[in-house]
Amino acid sequence: MRYLLLLEAFAACTALSGASAFLQSPGSVRRQSSYSNSTVAQERAEAVRDAYVHAWNGYYEYCFPQDQLQSVTNTCNDDLNGWGASAVDGFDTALIMQLPEIANIILAYIPTINFNNATNEVSLFETTIRYVGGMLAGYDLLSGPLSNLTYANNTENVPKLLSQAKALADTLKFAFDTPTGIPANGLYVGNQSTDGGETNGLATIGSLVLEWTHLSDLTGDDQYANLTQKGESYLINPLNPALAEPFPGLFGTDVNITTGDFVDNSGGWSGGDDSFYEYLIKMYVYDSDRFAVYRDAWIKAADSTIANLTSHPSSRPDLTFVAEFEGTMLINESEHLTCFDGGNFLLGGAVLGRQDYIDYGLELVDGCHDTYNSTATGIGPEIFSWNTTTLPANQTEFYDQAGFWIEDAVYILRPEVLESYYYAYRITGDQKYRDWSWEGFLAINATTFTPSGYSEIDNVNTPGGGDKLDNQDSFFLAEVLKYAYLIQAPDAIYQVENGGTNNFVFNTEAHVLKVAGTPV
């Protein structure tokens, strides 16, 4: 297959000389406005697109319209409601990659989904970021810059993307029928009931507001924005700050949905908390006039993170990681999920004109690059630590060289390191981040490839990745391949920092949503 030839051709490529980074003195930020479109970048982008086609073809042959391909056994799962998650999640990637045949299959399919029937318990959070976000992104692109990709016999389905997003939100909105308006996350849509959980999490409450506000703006119906923004208000202004906020602007993880009180003071920028902080600055990017309060909350969290959570491994003080916390005690541990943080600081620094945030973001990107660069596969682990009090004896040498040791060695096709490379390139213009992304993509392709797609692996520090875990996650199509493609692709209006501003903003599943306010 042609993409395999391209990958083999590039596997031995040496890094190209880096373009000059546009870095100015503290307090002054020069916005990047032009990007190289070299032949090498074009060929890399095409290779990533071919990988998407390979992943799609296996899913389409064996599983469509089920949720996900189990790419070793060529069986399927419906772990994400049974509504065709890989198709909806991968929709805007197919559009951005200019793959009209695939995109039109998905466009014709989405109006047929019955959101009142689900195969299992529905996560409000996962369903919002994958399905609502995916449909709204498709609508924004096909009613805007990529309208030419719609086949003539499919044009009537473009407005149905919005109506289906609204229908799904209407199905889910009973989640907010709680004494506080803080939503439940575990839902049974068939009988409109919840799992009975007493709490919900910082990220699962705080990562709905972008998609549901955009839905309100597109439909003219404020209820969706109002529902999610009310839940968000308990996070930004906690009722019990003495417990909830051990550091300024940094919060615990779980909130009682009946009282609105935080029930713990443990947190960080890792899974369970991550996208709450991510969305604070992205809401400001979405509409800087309406959401200055979110900007201010992000600045408070960012400054507090720099002051209180910054950590340097004893064996590699040149590296910078963000620690987790229990109260005011730091935990020197992090996750692949956390590696979005460099990109988030970079975005905040660019739109706020803060070189200090950009510099810090680049330090975090360097740290996460080290987690990839240090393993046998060239892919970073799920969980890593630099806590020397629990350092296993058989990882001492590895820790001395890498600056971290591996707690959980799996790789489940996560995007966050490539995501931060993308922001680093778009905001600095430095070619090395393109090269790092390409190296990461080559490692992922070489290690996770199967004849029908790509698979999670069980050990990033074993040559070949150890056993394949037989799942091709929908976010591999939505995020990993999108970020790997966009960093090499020509500039476009939906790219971060297009012409020095942001006309679109990426949700936490990498779905591109058109901003409502004046682009910043």
Side-chain angles (χ1 to χ4, degrees):
M1 297 175 68
R2 189 170 59 83
Y3 75 90
L4 287 176
L5 297 176
L6 281 166
L7 294 177
E8 290 171 359
F10 277 110
C13 281
T14 56
L16 301 178
S17 59
S20 298
F22 287 85
L23 300 179
Q24 305 298 309
S25 59
S28 173
V29 173
R30 179 178 175 185
R31 303 291 286 272
Q32 180 70 8
S33 60
S34 62
Y35 303 88
S36 167
N37 188 29
S38 67
T39 300
V40 169
Q42 293 173 36
E43 291 174 340
R44 288 175 173 181
E46 186 139 346
V48 177
R49 180 166 53 191
D50 288 341
Y52 177 95
V53 171
H54 175 65
W56 168 265
N57 284 346
Y59 164 71
Y60 186 70
E61 178 178 356
Y62 295 107
C63 293
F64 178 77
Q66 292 181 259
D67 282 337
Q68 296 180 137
L69 169 68
Q70 294 170 175
S71 52
V72 176
T73 58
N74 293 332
T75 55
C76 313
N77 68 63
D78 279 323
D79 294 345
L80 294 161
N81 315 339
W83 298 332
S86 292
V88 181
D89 222 5
F91 183 32
D92 64 332
T93 308
L95 292 169
I96 286 167
M97 290 182 174
Q98 304 281 316
L99 295 168
E101 181 177 353
I102 295 172
N104 277 275
I105 290 170
I106 302 169
L107 176 59
Y109 164 69
I110 288 174
T112 70
I113 303 172
N114 179 2
F115 293 119
N116 293 310
N117 293 321
T119 54
N120 48 21
E121 181 182 306
V122 170
S123 164
L124 176 64
F125 165 73
E126 295 289 355
T127 302
T128 292
I129 66 172
R130 300 189 200 215
Y131 286 101
V132 178
M135 289 186 286
L136 293 179
Y139 177 80
D140 283 343
L141 291 172
L142 287 177
S143 60
L146 299 180
S147 59
N148 62 300
L149 296 180
T150 308
Y151 290 166
N153 63 353
N154 221 2
T155 54
E156 65 180 17
N157 286 321
V158 174
K160 292 178 182 178
L161 296 170
L162 179 57
S163 61
Q164 279 288 75
K166 182 180 185 301
L168 178 52
D170 287 338
T171 297
L172 300 173
K173 67 184 180 183
F174 74 91
F176 297 88
D177 293 338
T178 65
T180 57
I182 296 171
N185 188 60
L187 311 177
Y188 296 96
V189 297
N191 61 8
Q192 299 277 285
S193 66
T194 75
D195 63 0
E198 296 180 354
T199 63
N200 198 353
L202 188 70
T204 43
I205 300 166
S207 309
L208 311 171
V209 65
L210 176 59
E211 295 85 353
W212 288 55
T213 297
H214 190 42
L215 179 61
S216 281
D217 290 341
L218 290 173
T219 61
D221 187 341
D222 289 341
Q223 65 169 315
Y224 310 108
N226 292 339
L227 286 169
T228 54
Q229 290 174 28
K230 183 176 181 182
E232 187 93 3
S233 69
Y234 287 90
L235 309 180
I236 294 175
N237 298 295
L239 298 177
N240 55 337
L243 172 68
E245 196 173 359
F247 300 108
L250 299 171
F251 305 105
T253 297
D254 291 320
V255 182
N256 186 295
I257 64 176
T258 299
T259 67
D261 290 325
F262 276 81
V263 300
D264 66 70
N265 60 2
S266 300
W269 288 66
S270 296
D273 305 300
D274 44 4
S275 47
F276 162 72
Y277 299 107
E278 176 187 357
Y279 273 25
L280 294 176
I281 194 64
K282 288 185 173 180
M283 285 300 289
Y284 175 72
V285 175
Y286 179 71
D287 193 330
S288 59
D289 292 327
R290 280 188 286 168
F291 298 113
V293 65
Y294 292 83
R295 173 203 63 198
D296 294 344
W298 185 85
I299 290 172
K300 188 177 181 182
D303 290 345
S304 189
T305 297
I306 294 170
N308 298 300
L309 304 186
T310 300
S311 184
H312 306 285
S314 59
S315 65
R316 290 285 305 277
D318 57 306
L319 299 177
T320 300
F321 296 128
V322 171
E324 299 170 0
F325 60 84
E326 289 183 5
T328 57
M329 181 180 71
L330 297 191
I331 302 169
N332 289 338
E333 179 182 280
S334 191
E335 301 174 355
H336 197 292
L337 281 165
T338 315
C339 282
F340 86 95
D341 56 4
N344 198 240
F345 270 88
L346 284 157
L347 177 64
V351 300
L352 299 175
R354 291 283 299 269
Q355 188 64 43
D356 54 341
Y357 294 151
I358 291 176
D359 292 342
Y360 188 72
L362 292 174
E363 290 182 28
L364 298 179
V365 173
D366 287 348
C368 288
H369 175 252
D370 178 70
T371 69
Y372 269 50
N373 203 38
S374 299
T375 69
T377 61
I379 304 170
E382 178 74 354
I383 303 175
F384 59 95
S385 175
W386 56 104
N387 180 358
T388 55
T389 64
T390 55
L391 173 61
N394 64 354
Q395 291 200 57
T396 300
E397 183 178 355
F398 182 85
Y399 172 74
D400 288 343
Q401 295 177 357
F404 68 93
W405 55 273
I406 297 171
E407 284 198 61
D408 187 347
V410 304
Y411 174 64
I412 62 167
L413 304 179
R414 291 203 187 278
E416 291 79 17
V417 174
L418 299 191
E419 174 183 353
S420 283
Y421 294 164
Y422 170 68
Y423 280 92
Y425 173 68
R426 294 295 303 181
I427 288 165
T428 71
D430 192 332
Q431 176 67 31
K432 79 175 181 182
Y433 299 113
R434 270 182 160 176
D435 296 335
W436 288 1
S437 181
W438 178 244
E439 291 162 5
F441 168 72
L442 287 177
I444 291 166
N445 181 80
T447 311
T448 71
F449 179 88
T450 76
S452 60
Y454 296 85
S455 174
E456 301 173 355
I457 56 173
D458 79 345
N459 194 334
V460 298
N461 209 30
T462 295
D467 291 335
K468 288 186 166 63
L469 302 179
D470 199 20
N471 195 49
Q472 179 176 280
D473 301 85
S474 74
F475 52 69
F476 182 72
L477 297 166
E479 301 186 74
V480 173
L481 296 178
K482 185 183 286 121
Y483 287 125
Y485 175 81
L486 281 174
I487 196 172
Q488 310 292 348
D491 199 15
I493 194 170
Y494 42 77
Q495 291 261 33
V496 166
E497 290 289 282
N498 168 250
T501 58
N502 293 277
N503 298 281
F504 284 72
V505 62
F506 288 62
N507 87 335
T508 195
E509 194 78 0
H511 296 309
V512 292
L513 305 178
K514 191 175 188 304
V515 302
T518 302
V520 295

